[in-house]
Amino acid sequence: MKHKIIEISYSEYSSIEELNENEAGLILKAREAAKNAWAPYSGFHVGSAVLLDNGKIITGNNQENVALPSGLCAERVALFAANANYPRDRVVALAISAYNKKGRVLHPISPCGSCRQAILETEERYGVSIRIILDGTSSIQVVEGIKNLLPLSFNKDSL
Ligand code: THU
């Protein structure tokens, strides 16, 4: 038996001012998008902003449904909209922000498992690593590529 360890890495910033202009701008778009979430059941409003290599920014937010599984997370709303409308433009970064009734979340919001799988698919589709920017009031985390959020993934080589 071999015991193996996988390391993941990310950068942590204490405020948006520490980020470069592009990344800070993407977070602001995600914060803005969260305001248009449809989240009457959870009260948890999530916004997401996708940056394409042509400089375009596509936003999304969570869309809940009274039949709960019929809703969708902000990340996939934004990613699918980007992939559907700009299929030839590579996704280079994705920012996520969220607020609840107490305000913007303290801990950086991290994508759910299904969204991680969708981010992986987008990376493989475009042959890129996506910079994932997670917004919180206590800190902002920047993750270079989904391998840091989804190790041991089911991917195209698994088929
Ligand atoms: N949600 C997202 O939109 N993104 C995440 O990364 C986590 C969760 C949504 C799904 C649901 O509408 C609400 O937040 C509470 O789970």
Side-chain angles (χ1 to χ4, degrees), residues 6-154:
I6 296 175
E7 282 190 333
I8 64 146
S9 73
Y10 61 93
S11 306
E12 193 159 82
Y13 298 84
S14 52
S15 80
I16 194 168
E17 285 80 33
E18 288 181 21
L19 295 168
N20 70 37
E21 206 179 313
N22 281 348
E23 290 170 352
L26 204 59
I27 290 186
L28 293 179
K29 290 280 190 188
R31 289 180 186 174
E32 199 57 38
K35 295 179 189 162
N36 293 327
W38 177 245
Y41 307 106
S42 70
F44 193 68
H45 300 247
V46 187
S48 179
V50 168
L51 175 66
L52 303 180
D53 62 359
N54 62 8
K56 277 203 170 66
I57 293 176
I58 315 300
T59 60
N61 36 51
N62 51 332
Q63 297 295 319
E64 295 185 351
N65 192 288
V66 63
L68 292 181
S70 301
L72 199 62
C73 294
E75 296 90 321
R76 276 176 287 162
V77 169
L79 268 181
F80 292 164
N83 295 341
N85 292 295
Y86 301 96
R88 275 169 290 281
D89 299 306
R90 283 185 294 214
V91 173
V92 294
L94 168 74
I96 313 162
S97 189
Y99 69 90
N100 56 29
K101 60 179 184 308
K102 290 190 259 168
R104 219 148 29 76
V105 293
L106 181 66
H107 299 292
I109 169 156
S110 204
C112 77
S114 297
C115 288
R116 291 175 195 215
Q117 190 69 34
I119 295 168
L120 170 63
E121 186 72 20
T122 306
E123 282 196 355
E124 294 198 328
R125 173 175 178 167
Y126 295 106
V128 293
S129 164
I130 298 175
R131 178 172 282 224
I132 305 157
I133 305 165
L134 312 175
D135 189 26
T137 56
S138 63
S139 67
I140 293 169
Q141 295 170 343
V142 178
V143 182
E144 280 297 341
I146 197 65
K147 66 178 186 305
N148 287 299
L149 290 182
L150 194 64
L152 297 178
S153 64
F154 179 74

